[in-house]
Amino acid sequence: MENTPLIPSRLPESIRTLIDYSLAKPTRIHPLPSKPKSGIWIKREDELSSGISGSKLRKYASLLPYLKKQEVEVVAMIGGPNSNNLVGLAQLLKENAIKPIAYIRQAGDSRKQGNALLLDMLLKEDETRFVAREDWSEVEAIANRELQNGDFRTSKSHLLLEGCFGTEGIPGAMTLAEDILRNESEEKTHFERIYIDCGTGLTAMGLILGLELLEDPKQQREIAVTLIAEEENMFLSKLSEIRKKLDIPFPEGRENRNSIRFLKPTLSPKFGSISASLFKCCRDIAKTEGIIMDPTYSVKHYATMQEDLRTSPLEKPCLFINNGSPLGTMGFQGKLQLI
Ligand SMILES: *Cc1c(COP(=O)(O)O)cnc(C)c1O
């Protein structure tokens, strides 16, 4: 008799129907170019889109169907002037004829470069609101007030939290787990450790929860989360909050069965901070790996993995998730030249 696997390799149908799989496409993995025999593999989430940072597209793959089902006409979105999320959403909302209104934190530097330039290109004047730094803690209330009382009060509107954090993006984020299992089965390998970066943490949480649903319970692995813009305690409390809010029957006894280990970035650890060594690392990665990584997330994530592999070596294969987009280097062209 054929061996029928007990664990489905695909997400349950009830979740799959929430996802637009034309956005959450399969991505390839390949060995780390500089050390092809080391057992370190890279997942090319950067190839999901030419203009949207990789992990974002997976979240949007369930967020967009949700907004469309609710017949939302106007979306308020919140972020800093260099937000990958705002740039990504602006593109996808326009594609879907949903009007974006971006609440952007006033920049210290008024020059339009990098994502600030892309946002300036993507958004019309009436789609942009600059919020002073001293008012930033009130930004959600400011956006809500405008949606309810402003020009769009008669339109169906939706407010997205900074970084799109919320349950609507989780089904899409879970496709990362599904696609890693496909990669493993095609390459006939198993990753003992998966390195993933974390901003709001939604992408990493989607991975963790997706693996819980999909994985053979006999197999264990470690999820190493590089805390680019979040703290360990917050991550864990947000994870348990999301788990409760989701209407998904998680298999019993598998909660956090894969161990989660948190890593602090080793290069310019403060979120958004930069340094000459960060840019040198960005150039080194391009030369050694042939991959143009964004300095804000992926370069820090990569440097952190390299350091972690020195202090916690592995015998078995591991996987580095490259969520970044080469567009993330745009704002740093001057800095990248000076090294
Ligand atoms: C936005 C972003 C992240 C963070 O994703 P979260 O789901 O908010 O944790 C990580 N890496 C890159 C390159 C990003 O653009």
Side-chain angles (χ1 to χ4, degrees):
M1 208 174 84
E2 284 285 309
N3 247 349
T4 26
L6 291 171
I7 303 299
S9 58
R10 287 176 19 148
L11 288 165
E13 214 43 46
S14 60
I15 297 178
R16 290 182 68 89
T17 55
L18 304 173
I19 300 166
D20 177 349
Y21 273 90
S22 72
L23 296 176
K25 288 175 292 215
T27 61
R28 68 197 174 110
I29 58 171
H30 61 70
L32 189 73
S34 63
K35 289 185 209 149
K37 297 256 154 43
S38 63
I40 307 170
W41 292 65
I42 302 197
K43 184 154 177 71
R44 300 301 301 267
E45 292 287 282
D46 55 317
E47 292 179 347
L48 271 169
S49 161
S50 57
I52 302 178
S53 162
S55 58
K56 303 286 182 294
L57 215 54
R58 293 204 184 271
K59 299 185 207 180
Y60 303 159
S62 55
L63 179 62
L64 250 293
Y66 168 84
L67 295 173
K68 287 205 272 191
K69 200 164 159 212
Q70 306 284 320
E71 297 178 348
V72 168
E73 299 157 289
V74 178
V75 163
M77 53 189 197
I78 293 173
N82 295 309
S83 162
N84 288 338
N85 184 45
L86 293 187
V87 171
L89 269 176
Q91 295 170 65
L92 216 52
L93 291 173
K94 297 218 162 190
E95 179 187 320
N96 289 280
I98 300 175
K99 185 156 185 84
I101 309 181
Y103 292 81
I104 306 170
R105 195 175 59 246
Q106 196 96 51
D109 181 346
S110 63
R111 273 174 303 175
K112 297 259 175 280
Q113 48 185 11
N115 280 348
L117 172 63
L118 296 177
L119 269 181
D120 188 56
M121 291 171 64
L122 283 161
L123 297 173
K124 299 178 189 154
E125 219 173 302
D126 74 332
E127 293 167 344
T128 312
R129 314 279 182 270
F130 287 101
V131 178
R133 284 165 169 257
E134 57 269 25
D135 298 332
W136 189 244
S137 60
E138 298 297 313
V139 64
E140 283 171 32
I142 294 170
N144 261 323
R145 218 175 301 137
E146 184 182 351
L147 290 182
Q148 275 151 34
N149 307 318
D151 292 347
F152 302 110
R153 63 188 174 279
T154 54
S155 309
K156 175 106 187 170
S157 62
H158 186 86
L159 170 66
L160 289 172
L161 300 185
E162 193 165 2
C164 267
F165 195 80
T167 47
E168 290 80 23
I170 286 275
M174 282 178 166
T175 62
L176 175 58
E178 195 177 44
D179 202 45
I180 290 173
L181 295 184
R182 176 191 63 82
N183 292 137
E184 284 184 332
S185 122
E186 285 180 15
E187 298 291 341
K188 300 193 178 36
T189 187
H190 177 74
F191 298 113
E192 291 287 289
R193 191 183 287 164
I194 299 174
Y195 287 96
I196 183 147
D197 54 348
C198 158
T200 65
L202 194 94
T203 306
M205 292 174 200
L207 172 66
I208 289 164
L209 296 171
L211 288 175
E212 248 172 61
L213 278 178
L214 291 168
E215 248 177 347
D216 180 343
K218 288 194 291 296
Q219 289 200 314
Q220 288 220 352
R221 65 175 111 219
E222 184 178 60
I223 315 293
V225 179
T226 305
L227 296 166
I228 304 285
E230 191 49 286
E231 297 291 331
E232 175 171 342
N233 289 343
M234 276 302 288
F235 182 98
L236 290 172
S237 73
K238 277 154 81 176
L239 177 59
S240 68
E241 191 185 318
I242 285 267
R243 190 194 295 278
K244 274 185 232 140
K245 276 199 195 151
L246 285 171
D247 188 20
I248 294 175
F250 287 101
E252 286 205 19
R254 277 198 234 166
E255 188 168 327
N256 299 347
R257 185 183 42 82
N258 286 313
S259 55
I260 306 172
R261 191 158 55 87
F262 294 97
L263 306 174
K264 289 242 156 60
T266 48
L267 270 181
S268 303
K270 189 168 172 287
F271 180 57
S273 71
I274 53 174
S275 62
S277 43
L278 178 67
F279 295 123
K280 176 169 188 309
C281 187
C282 185
R283 290 180 57 104
D284 287 347
I285 294 169
K287 291 211 197 312
T288 56
E289 315 296 2
I291 301 176
I292 298 168
M293 288 191 190
D294 81 286
T296 311
Y297 284 96
S298 304
V299 173
K300 292 184 184 184
H301 181 41
Y302 175 94
T304 308
M305 172 187 74
Q306 293 291 14
E307 178 59 28
D308 187 62
L309 284 169
R310 276 189 284 276
T311 50
S312 315
L314 254 191
E315 301 285 307
K316 302 272 180 52
C318 69
L319 183 66
F320 175 87
I321 312 284
N322 179 25
N323 277 322
S325 156
L327 278 186
T329 56
M330 256 188 76
F332 304 113
Q333 291 187 34
K335 299 264 172 16
L336 282 161
Q337 280 174 40
L338 296 173
I339 305 298

